[in-house]
Coordinates of all heavy atoms in Angstrom, one line a residue:
M153 N -5.0 -14.9 2.5 CA -5.2 -13.6 1.9 C -5.1 -13.7 0.4 O -4.3 -14.5 -0.2 CB -4.0 -12.7 2.3 CG -4.1 -11.3 1.7 SD -2.7 -10.3 2.2 CE -3.5 -9.4 3.5
K154 N -6.0 -13.0 -0.3 CA -6.0 -13.1 -1.8 C -4.8 -12.4 -2.4 O -4.3 -11.3 -1.9 CB -7.3 -12.3 -2.2 CG -7.5 -12.4 -3.7 CD -8.8 -11.7 -4.1 CE -8.9 -11.7 -5.6 NZ -10.1 -10.9 -6.0
S155 N -4.2 -13.0 -3.4 CA -3.1 -12.5 -4.1 C -3.4 -11.2 -4.9 O -4.5 -11.1 -5.4 CB -2.5 -13.5 -5.0 OG -1.5 -13.0 -5.8
V156 N -2.5 -10.3 -4.9 CA -2.8 -9.0 -5.7 C -1.9 -8.9 -6.9 O -1.9 -7.9 -7.6 CB -2.5 -7.8 -4.8 CG1 -3.6 -7.7 -3.7 CG2 -1.1 -7.8 -4.3
S157 N -1.3 -10.0 -7.3 CA -0.4 -10.0 -8.5 C -1.4 -9.8 -9.7 O -2.4 -10.4 -9.8 CB 0.4 -11.2 -8.6 OG -0.4 -12.4 -8.7
G158 N -0.9 -9.1 -10.7 CA -1.8 -8.9 -11.9 C -2.8 -7.7 -11.7 O -3.5 -7.5 -12.6
N159 N -2.8 -7.1 -10.5 CA -3.7 -6.0 -10.3 C -3.2 -4.8 -11.0 O -2.0 -4.3 -10.8 CB -3.8 -5.7 -8.8 CG -4.7 -4.6 -8.4 OD1 -4.6 -3.5 -8.9 ND2 -5.7 -4.9 -7.6
P160 N -3.9 -4.2 -12.0 CA -3.4 -3.0 -12.7 C -2.9 -1.8 -11.9 O -1.9 -1.2 -12.2 CB -4.6 -2.6 -13.6 CG -5.5 -3.8 -13.6 CD -5.3 -4.5 -12.4
A161 N -3.6 -1.5 -10.8 CA -3.3 -0.4 -10.0 C -1.9 -0.7 -9.3 O -1.1 0.1 -9.2 CB -4.4 -0.1 -9.0
L162 N -1.8 -1.9 -8.7 CA -0.6 -2.3 -8.1 C 0.6 -2.3 -9.0 O 1.7 -1.8 -8.7 CB -0.7 -3.7 -7.4 CG 0.5 -4.2 -6.6 CD1 0.9 -3.2 -5.5 CD2 0.2 -5.5 -6.1
D163 N 0.4 -2.8 -10.2 CA 1.4 -2.9 -11.2 C 1.9 -1.4 -11.6 O 3.1 -1.2 -11.7 CB 0.9 -3.6 -12.5 CG 0.7 -5.1 -12.3 OD1 1.2 -5.6 -11.3 OD2 0.0 -5.7 -13.1
A164 N 0.9 -0.5 -11.7 CA 1.3 0.9 -12.1 C 2.0 1.5 -10.9 O 3.0 2.2 -11.1 CB 0.0 1.7 -12.3
Y165 N 1.6 1.2 -9.7 CA 2.3 1.8 -8.5 C 3.8 1.3 -8.5 O 4.7 2.0 -8.3 CB 1.6 1.4 -7.2 CG 2.4 1.7 -6.0 CD1 2.6 3.0 -5.5 CD2 3.1 0.7 -5.3 CE1 3.4 3.3 -4.4 CE2 3.9 1.0 -4.3 CZ 4.0 2.3 -3.8 OH 4.8 2.6 -2.7
Q166 N 3.9 0.0 -8.7 CA 5.2 -0.6 -8.6 C 6.2 0.0 -9.7 O 7.3 0.2 -9.5 CB 5.2 -2.1 -8.8 CG 4.5 -2.8 -7.6 CD 4.2 -4.3 -7.8 OE1 4.1 -4.7 -8.9 NE2 4.1 -5.0 -6.7
R167 N 5.6 0.2 -10.9 CA 6.4 0.8 -12.0 C 6.8 2.2 -11.6 O 8.0 2.6 -11.8 CB 5.7 0.8 -13.3 CG 5.7 -0.5 -14.0 CD 5.2 -0.4 -15.4 NE 3.9 0.3 -15.5 CZ 2.7 -0.3 -15.4 NH1 2.6 -1.6 -15.2 NH2 1.6 0.4 -15.6
V168 N 5.9 3.0 -11.1 CA 6.2 4.4 -10.8 C 7.1 4.6 -9.6 O 8.0 5.3 -9.6 CB 4.9 5.2 -10.6 CG1 5.1 6.6 -10.0 CG2 4.1 5.3 -11.9
A169 N 6.8 3.8 -8.6 CA 7.6 3.9 -7.3 C 8.9 3.1 -7.3 O 9.7 3.2 -6.4 CB 6.7 3.4 -6.1
G170 N 9.1 2.3 -8.4 CA 10.3 1.5 -8.4 C 10.3 0.4 -7.4 O 11.4 0.0 -6.9
V171 N 9.1 -0.1 -7.0 CA 9.0 -1.1 -6.0 C 9.1 -2.5 -6.6 O 8.4 -2.7 -7.7 CB 7.7 -1.0 -5.2 CG1 7.5 -2.1 -4.2 CG2 7.6 0.4 -4.5
A172 N 9.8 -3.4 -6.1 CA 9.8 -4.8 -6.6 C 8.5 -5.4 -6.4 O 7.8 -5.2 -5.4 CB 10.9 -5.5 -5.9
P173 N 8.0 -6.2 -7.4 CA 6.8 -6.9 -7.2 C 6.8 -7.9 -6.0 O 7.9 -8.4 -5.6 CB 6.7 -7.8 -8.5 CG 7.6 -7.1 -9.5 CD 8.7 -6.5 -8.7
A174 N 5.7 -8.1 -5.4 CA 5.6 -8.9 -4.2 C 5.8 -10.4 -4.6 O 5.4 -10.8 -5.7 CB 4.2 -8.8 -3.6
R175 N 6.5 -11.1 -3.8 CA 6.8 -12.5 -4.0 C 5.9 -13.3 -3.2 O 5.5 -12.9 -2.1 CB 8.2 -12.9 -3.7 CG 9.2 -12.1 -4.5 CD 10.6 -12.4 -4.1 NE 10.7 -11.9 -2.7 CZ 11.6 -12.3 -1.8 NH1 12.5 -13.2 -2.1 NH2 11.6 -11.7 -0.6
P176 N 5.5 -14.5 -3.7 CA 4.6 -15.4 -2.9 C 5.3 -15.9 -1.6 O 6.6 -16.0 -1.6 CB 4.3 -16.6 -3.8 CG 5.3 -16.5 -4.9 CD 5.8 -15.1 -5.0
V177 N 4.6 -16.1 -0.6 CA 5.2 -16.5 0.7 C 5.3 -18.0 0.6 O 4.4 -18.8 0.2 CB 4.2 -16.2 1.9 CG1 4.8 -16.8 3.2 CG2 4.1 -14.7 2.0
T178 N 6.5 -18.5 1.0 CA 6.7 -20.0 1.1 C 6.8 -20.5 2.5 O 7.1 -19.7 3.4 CB 8.1 -20.3 0.4 OG1 9.1 -19.6 1.0 CG2 8.0 -19.9 -1.1
Q179 N 6.4 -21.7 2.7 CA 6.4 -22.3 4.0 C 7.9 -22.7 4.4 O 8.7 -23.0 3.5 CB 5.6 -23.6 4.0 CG 4.1 -23.3 3.7 CD 3.5 -22.4 4.8 OE1 3.8 -22.5 5.9 NE2 2.5 -21.6 4.3
G180 N 8.1 -22.7 5.7 CA 9.5 -23.2 6.1 C 10.4 -22.0 6.4 O 10.0 -20.9 6.5
Q181 N 11.6 -22.3 6.6 CA 12.6 -21.3 6.9 C 13.0 -20.4 5.7 O 13.1 -20.9 4.6 CB 13.9 -22.0 7.4 CG 13.7 -22.8 8.7 CD 13.5 -21.8 9.9 OE1 13.9 -20.7 9.9 NE2 12.8 -22.3 10.9
P182 N 13.2 -19.1 5.9 CA 13.6 -18.3 4.8 C 15.0 -18.6 4.4 O 15.8 -19.2 5.2 CB 13.6 -16.9 5.4 CG 13.6 -17.1 6.9 CD 13.0 -18.4 7.2
A183 N 15.4 -18.4 3.2 CA 16.7 -18.6 2.7 C 17.7 -17.7 3.4 O 17.2 -16.7 4.0 CB 16.8 -18.3 1.2
A184 N 18.9 -18.0 3.4 CA 19.9 -17.2 4.1 C 19.9 -15.7 3.7 O 19.9 -14.8 4.6 CB 21.3 -17.8 3.9
S185 N 19.8 -15.5 2.4 CA 19.8 -14.1 2.0 C 18.5 -13.4 2.4 O 18.5 -12.2 2.7 CB 19.9 -14.0 0.5 OG 18.8 -14.6 -0.2
E186 N 17.4 -14.1 2.5 CA 16.1 -13.5 3.0 C 16.2 -13.3 4.5 O 15.6 -12.3 4.9 CB 14.9 -14.5 2.6 CG 14.6 -14.5 1.1 CD 13.5 -15.5 0.8 OE1 12.7 -15.7 1.7 OE2 13.4 -16.0 -0.3
A187 N 16.8 -14.2 5.2 CA 16.9 -14.1 6.6 C 17.6 -12.8 7.0 O 17.3 -12.1 8.0 CB 17.6 -15.3 7.3
Q188 N 18.6 -12.4 6.2 CA 19.4 -11.2 6.5 C 18.5 -9.9 6.3 O 18.7 -8.9 6.8 CB 20.6 -11.1 5.6 CG 21.6 -12.2 6.0 CD 22.8 -12.3 5.0 OE1 22.7 -11.7 3.9 NE2 23.8 -13.0 5.4
N189 N 17.5 -10.0 5.4 CA 16.7 -8.9 5.0 C 15.4 -8.8 5.9 O 14.7 -7.8 5.7 CB 16.3 -9.0 3.5 CG 17.5 -8.8 2.6 OD1 18.5 -8.1 3.0 ND2 17.5 -9.5 1.5
I190 N 15.2 -9.7 6.8 CA 14.0 -9.6 7.6 C 13.9 -8.3 8.4 O 12.9 -7.7 8.4 CB 13.9 -10.9 8.5 CG1 13.6 -12.1 7.6 CG2 12.8 -10.7 9.5 CD1 13.5 -13.4 8.3
G191 N 15.1 -7.9 9.0 CA 15.1 -6.7 9.7 C 14.8 -5.5 8.9 O 14.1 -4.6 9.3
D192 N 15.3 -5.5 7.6 CA 15.1 -4.4 6.7 C 13.6 -4.4 6.3 O 13.0 -3.3 6.1 CB 15.9 -4.5 5.5 CG 17.4 -4.3 5.7 OD1 17.7 -3.6 6.8 OD2 18.2 -4.8 5.0
A193 N 13.0 -5.5 6.1 CA 11.6 -5.6 5.7 C 10.7 -5.0 6.8 O 9.6 -4.5 6.5 CB 11.2 -7.0 5.4
A194 N 11.1 -5.0 8.0 CA 10.2 -4.5 9.1 C 10.4 -3.0 9.3 O 9.6 -2.4 10.0 CB 10.6 -5.2 10.4
R195 N 11.3 -2.4 8.6 CA 11.5 -1.0 8.7 C 10.6 -0.2 7.7 O 10.4 -0.7 6.6 CB 13.0 -0.6 8.4 CG 13.3 0.8 8.8 CD 14.8 1.1 8.5 NE 14.8 1.6 7.1 CZ 15.6 1.2 6.2 NH1 16.5 0.3 6.5 NH2 15.6 1.6 4.9
V196 N 10.0 0.9 8.2 CA 9.2 1.7 7.3 C 9.8 3.0 7.1 O 10.3 3.7 8.0 CB 7.8 1.9 8.0 CG1 6.9 2.8 7.2 CG2 7.1 0.6 8.2
D197 N 9.9 3.4 5.8 CA 10.4 4.7 5.5 C 9.3 5.6 4.9 O 8.5 5.1 4.1 CB 11.5 4.6 4.5 CG 12.8 4.0 5.0 OD1 13.1 4.2 6.2 OD2 13.4 3.2 4.3
I198 N 9.2 6.8 5.3 CA 8.2 7.8 4.8 C 8.9 8.7 3.8 O 9.9 9.4 4.2 CB 7.5 8.5 5.9 CG1 6.9 7.6 6.9 CG2 6.6 9.5 5.4 CD1 6.3 8.2 8.1
S199 N 8.4 8.8 2.6 CA 9.0 9.6 1.6 C 8.8 11.1 1.9 O 7.9 11.5 2.7 CB 8.4 9.3 0.2 OG 7.1 9.8 0.2
E200 N 9.7 11.9 1.3 CA 9.6 13.4 1.5 C 8.2 13.9 1.0 O 7.6 14.7 1.7 CB 10.7 14.1 0.8 CG 10.8 15.5 1.2 CD 11.1 15.7 2.7 OE1 11.8 14.9 3.3 OE2 10.5 16.7 3.3
A201 N 7.7 13.3 -0.1 CA 6.4 13.7 -0.6 C 5.3 13.4 0.4 O 4.4 14.2 0.6 CB 6.1 13.0 -1.9
A202 N 5.4 12.2 1.1 CA 4.4 11.9 2.1 C 4.5 12.8 3.3 O 3.5 13.2 3.8 CB 4.6 10.4 2.5
R203 N 5.7 13.2 3.7 CA 5.8 14.2 4.8 C 5.2 15.5 4.4 O 4.6 16.1 5.2 CB 7.3 14.3 5.1 CG 7.9 13.1 5.7 CD 9.4 13.4 6.1 NE 10.1 12.2 6.3 CZ 10.1 11.6 7.5 NH1 9.4 12.0 8.5 NH2 10.8 10.5 7.7
E204 N 5.4 15.9 3.2 CA 4.8 17.2 2.7 C 3.3 17.1 2.8 O 2.6 18.1 3.2 CB 5.3 17.6 1.3 CG 6.7 18.0 1.3 CD 7.2 18.2 -0.1 OE1 6.4 18.4 -1.1 OE2 8.5 18.2 -0.3
L205 N 2.7 16.0 2.3 CA 1.3 15.9 2.3 C 0.8 15.9 3.8 O -0.3 16.5 4.1 CB 0.9 14.6 1.7 CG 1.0 14.5 0.1 CD1 0.7 13.1 -0.4 CD2 0.0 15.5 -0.5
A206 N 1.5 15.2 4.7 CA 1.1 15.2 6.1 C 1.1 16.5 6.7 O 0.3 16.8 7.6 CB 2.0 14.2 6.8
S207 N 2.1 17.4 6.3 CA 2.2 18.7 6.9 C 1.4 19.8 6.2 O 1.5 20.9 6.6 CB 3.7 19.0 7.0 OG 4.2 19.2 5.7
A208 N 0.6 19.4 5.2 CA -0.1 20.3 4.4 C -1.3 21.0 5.2 O -1.9 21.9 4.7 CB -0.7 19.7 3.2
G209 N -1.5 20.6 6.4 CA -2.5 21.2 7.2 C -3.9 20.7 7.0 O -4.9 21.3 7.4
Q210 N -4.1 19.6 6.3 CA -5.4 19.0 6.0 C -6.0 18.4 7.3 O -5.3 17.8 8.1 CB -5.3 18.0 4.9 CG -4.9 18.6 3.6 CD -4.9 17.6 2.5 OE1 -5.1 16.4 2.7 NE2 -4.7 18.1 1.3
V211 N -7.3 18.6 7.4 CA -7.9 18.0 8.6 C -8.3 16.6 8.4 O -8.7 16.2 7.3 CB -9.2 18.8 8.9 CG1 -10.0 18.3 10.1 CG2 -8.9 20.3 9.1
V212 N -8.0 15.7 9.4 CA -8.3 14.3 9.3 C -9.7 14.1 9.9 O -10.0 14.5 11.0 CB -7.3 13.5 10.0 CG1 -7.6 12.0 10.0 CG2 -5.9 13.7 9.3
D213 N -10.6 13.4 9.2 CA -11.9 13.0 9.7 C -11.8 11.7 10.5 O -11.7 10.6 9.9 CB -12.9 12.9 8.5 CG -14.3 12.6 9.0 OD1 -14.5 12.3 10.2 OD2 -15.2 12.7 8.1
A214 N -11.7 11.8 11.8 CA -11.5 10.6 12.6 C -12.6 9.6 12.5 O -12.3 8.4 12.5 CB -11.4 11.1 14.1
R215 N -13.8 10.1 12.3 CA -14.9 9.1 12.1 C -14.7 8.3 10.8 O -15.0 7.1 10.8 CB -16.3 9.8 12.1 CG -16.7 10.4 13.4 CD -17.9 11.1 13.4 NE -17.7 12.3 12.5 CZ -18.6 13.2 12.2 NH1 -19.8 13.1 12.6 NH2 -18.3 14.2 11.4
K216 N -14.3 8.9 9.8 CA -14.1 8.2 8.5 C -12.9 7.2 8.6 O -13.0 6.1 8.1 CB -13.7 9.2 7.4 CG -13.6 8.6 6.0 CD -13.5 9.7 4.9 CE -13.4 9.0 3.6 NZ -13.3 10.0 2.5
V217 N -11.9 7.6 9.3 CA -10.7 6.7 9.6 C -11.2 5.5 10.3 O -10.8 4.4 10.0 CB -9.6 7.5 10.3 CG1 -8.5 6.5 10.7 CG2 -9.0 8.6 9.4
E218 N -11.9 5.7 11.4 CA -12.4 4.6 12.2 C -13.3 3.7 11.4 O -13.3 2.5 11.5 CB -13.1 5.1 13.5 CG -12.2 5.7 14.5 CD -11.1 4.7 14.9 OE1 -11.4 3.5 15.1 OE2 -9.9 5.1 15.0
A219 N -14.2 4.3 10.6 CA -15.1 3.5 9.7 C -14.3 2.6 8.7 O -14.6 1.4 8.5 CB -16.1 4.4 9.0
L220 N -13.2 3.2 8.2 CA -12.4 2.5 7.2 C -11.6 1.3 8.0 O -11.5 0.2 7.5 CB -11.4 3.4 6.6 CG -11.9 4.3 5.5 CD1 -10.9 5.3 5.0 CD2 -12.4 3.5 4.3
K221 N -11.1 1.6 9.2 CA -10.5 0.6 10.0 C -11.4 -0.6 10.3 O -11.0 -1.7 10.2 CB -10.0 1.2 11.3 CG -8.7 2.0 11.2 CD -8.3 2.5 12.6 CE -7.1 3.4 12.6 NZ -6.8 3.8 14.0
Q222 N -12.6 -0.2 10.6 CA -13.6 -1.3 10.9 C -13.9 -2.1 9.7 O -13.9 -3.4 9.7 CB -14.9 -0.7 11.4 CG -16.0 -1.7 11.8 CD -15.5 -2.6 12.9 OE1 -14.9 -2.2 13.8 NE2 -15.8 -3.9 12.8
K223 N -14.0 -1.5 8.5 CA -14.2 -2.3 7.3 C -13.0 -3.2 6.9 O -13.2 -4.3 6.5 CB -14.5 -1.3 6.1 CG -15.9 -0.7 6.1 CD -16.1 0.1 4.9 CE -17.5 0.7 4.8 NZ -17.8 1.4 3.6
I224 N -11.8 -2.6 7.2 CA -10.6 -3.5 6.9 C -10.6 -4.6 7.9 O -10.4 -5.8 7.5 CB -9.4 -2.6 7.0 CG1 -9.3 -1.6 5.9 CG2 -8.1 -3.5 7.1 CD1 -8.3 -0.5 6.1
D225 N -10.9 -4.4 9.2 CA -10.9 -5.4 10.2 C -11.9 -6.5 9.9 O -11.6 -7.7 10.1 CB -11.1 -4.9 11.6 CG -9.9 -4.1 12.1 OD1 -8.8 -4.2 11.5 OD2 -10.1 -3.3 13.1
D226 N -13.1 -6.1 9.4 CA -14.1 -7.2 9.2 C -14.1 -7.7 7.8 O -14.9 -8.6 7.4 CB -15.5 -6.7 9.6 CG -16.0 -5.6 8.7 OD1 -15.6 -5.4 7.6 OD2 -16.9 -4.8 9.2
G227 N -13.1 -7.2 7.0 CA -13.0 -7.8 5.6 C -14.0 -7.3 4.6 O -14.0 -7.8 3.5
S228 N -14.7 -6.2 4.9 CA -15.7 -5.7 4.0 C -15.2 -4.6 3.1 O -15.9 -4.1 2.2 CB -17.0 -5.3 4.7 OG -16.7 -4.2 5.5
Y229 N -14.0 -4.1 3.3 CA -13.4 -3.0 2.6 C -13.0 -3.5 1.2 O -12.2 -4.5 1.1 CB -12.2 -2.4 3.3 CG -11.6 -1.2 2.5 CD1 -12.3 0.0 2.4 CD2 -10.4 -1.3 1.9 CE1 -11.8 1.1 1.7 CE2 -9.8 -0.3 1.2 CZ -10.5 0.9 1.1 OH -10.0 2.0 0.4
Q230 N -13.5 -3.0 0.1 CA -13.1 -3.4 -1.2 C -12.5 -2.2 -1.9 O -12.9 -1.1 -1.9 CB -14.4 -3.8 -2.0 CG -15.2 -4.9 -1.4 CD -14.3 -6.2 -1.5 OE1 -13.7 -6.5 -2.5 NE2 -14.3 -7.0 -0.4
V231 N -11.4 -2.5 -2.6 CA -10.6 -1.5 -3.3 C -11.0 -1.6 -4.8 O -11.0 -2.7 -5.4 CB -9.1 -1.7 -3.2 CG1 -8.3 -0.7 -4.1 CG2 -8.7 -1.6 -1.8
D232 N -11.4 -0.5 -5.4 CA -11.8 -0.4 -6.8 C -10.5 -0.1 -7.6 O -10.1 1.1 -7.6 CB -12.9 0.6 -7.1 CG -13.3 0.6 -8.5 OD1 -12.6 0.1 -9.4 OD2 -14.4 1.1 -8.7
S233 N -9.8 -1.1 -8.1 CA -8.5 -0.9 -8.7 C -8.6 0.1 -9.9 O -7.6 0.8 -10.2 CB -7.9 -2.2 -9.1 OG -8.7 -2.9 -10.1
A234 N -9.7 0.1 -10.6 CA -9.8 1.0 -11.7 C -9.8 2.5 -11.2 O -9.2 3.4 -11.8 CB -11.1 0.8 -12.5
V235 N -10.5 2.8 -10.1 CA -10.5 4.1 -9.6 C -9.1 4.5 -9.1 O -8.6 5.6 -9.3 CB -11.5 4.2 -8.4 CG1 -11.4 5.6 -7.7 CG2 -12.9 4.1 -9.0
V236 N -8.4 3.6 -8.4 CA -7.1 3.8 -7.9 C -6.1 4.1 -9.1 O -5.4 5.1 -9.0 CB -6.5 2.6 -7.1 CG1 -5.1 2.9 -6.7 CG2 -7.4 2.4 -5.8
A237 N -6.2 3.3 -10.1 CA -5.3 3.5 -11.3 C -5.6 4.9 -11.9 O -4.7 5.6 -12.3 CB -5.5 2.4 -12.3
R238 N -6.9 5.2 -12.1 CA -7.3 6.5 -12.7 C -6.8 7.7 -11.9 O -6.2 8.6 -12.5 CB -8.8 6.5 -12.8 CG -9.3 7.7 -13.7 CD -10.8 7.6 -14.0 NE -11.7 7.0 -13.0 CZ -12.2 5.8 -13.2 NH1 -12.0 5.1 -14.3 NH2 -13.0 5.3 -12.3
R239 N -6.9 7.6 -10.6 CA -6.4 8.7 -9.7 C -4.9 8.8 -9.8 O -4.3 9.9 -9.8 CB -6.8 8.5 -8.3 CG -8.3 8.7 -8.0 CD -8.6 10.2 -8.0 NE -8.0 10.8 -6.9 CZ -7.4 12.0 -7.0 NH1 -7.5 12.7 -8.1 NH2 -6.8 12.6 -5.9
M240 N -4.2 7.6 -9.9 CA -2.7 7.7 -10.0 C -2.3 8.4 -11.3 O -1.4 9.2 -11.3 CB -2.2 6.3 -9.9 CG -2.2 5.6 -8.5 SD -1.8 3.9 -8.5 CE -0.1 4.0 -9.0
L241 N -3.0 8.0 -12.4 CA -2.7 8.6 -13.6 C -3.0 10.1 -13.7 O -2.3 10.9 -14.2 CB -3.4 7.9 -14.8 CG -3.0 6.5 -15.0 CD1 -3.9 5.8 -16.0 CD2 -1.5 6.5 -15.5
D242 N -4.1 10.5 -13.0 CA -4.5 11.9 -12.9 C -3.4 12.7 -12.2 O -3.1 13.8 -12.6 CB -5.8 12.1 -12.1 CG -7.0 11.6 -13.0 OD1 -6.9 11.4 -14.2 OD2 -8.1 11.5 -12.3
I243 N -2.9 12.1 -11.1 CA -1.9 12.8 -10.3 C -0.5 12.8 -11.0 O 0.1 13.9 -11.0 CB -1.8 12.2 -8.9 CG1 -3.1 12.4 -8.1 CG2 -0.6 12.7 -8.1 CD1 -3.2 11.6 -6.8
L244 N -0.2 11.7 -11.6 CA 1.2 11.6 -12.2 C 1.2 12.1 -13.6 O 2.3 12.3 -14.1 CB 1.6 10.2 -12.1 CG 1.8 9.6 -10.7 CD1 2.1 8.1 -10.7 CD2 2.9 10.4 -9.9
G245 N 0.1 12.3 -14.2 CA 0.0 12.8 -15.6 C 0.2 11.8 -16.6 O 0.8 11.1 -17.2

């Protein structure tokens, strides 16, 4: 998988969301401290803002979702980091 470090959109997201930057994956056994956090890493939390967006009553276009899933699966989905960063700045001000 291609590394995303240095991606301006990801960097902006990490700063705003307070997310720690991704670390490279190493081969072999995880360190003891990492082994304790494996269970935590598998847990997903949904923010209150995400819950509000989900309950806003917007209609989901199932065909568009399936088309995006297909592009992701076959590796043809490309993210335009400039557009993502611009939208983040538009939303966050």
Side-chain angles (χ1 to χ4, degrees):
M153 175 183 267
K154 183 178 176 185
S155 173
V156 293
S157 60
N159 181 305
L162 180 60
D163 294 343
Y165 169 77
Q166 290 171 340
R167 281 192 307 274
V168 171
V171 176
R175 295 175 297 158
V177 176
T178 58
Q179 298 296 327
Q181 295 292 333
S185 62
E186 291 179 24
Q188 293 171 346
N189 293 328
I190 289 175
D192 291 338
R195 193 181 86 228
V196 175
D197 291 323
I198 299 174
S199 70
E200 192 59 39
R203 290 180 195 280
E204 289 175 19
L205 287 172
S207 66
Q210 295 181 355
V211 178
V212 175
D213 185 347
R215 289 178 295 180
K216 185 174 182 178
V217 171
E218 287 304 315
L220 286 171
K221 284 182 182 180
Q222 182 60 40
K223 285 184 177 185
I224 291 168
D225 288 344
D226 67 23
S228 64
Y229 181 72
Q230 298 294 317
V231 176
D232 185 341
S233 60
V235 171
V236 173
R238 189 170 31 253
R239 288 286 295 140
M240 288 173 63
L241 291 173
D242 288 346
I243 292 169
L244 298 174

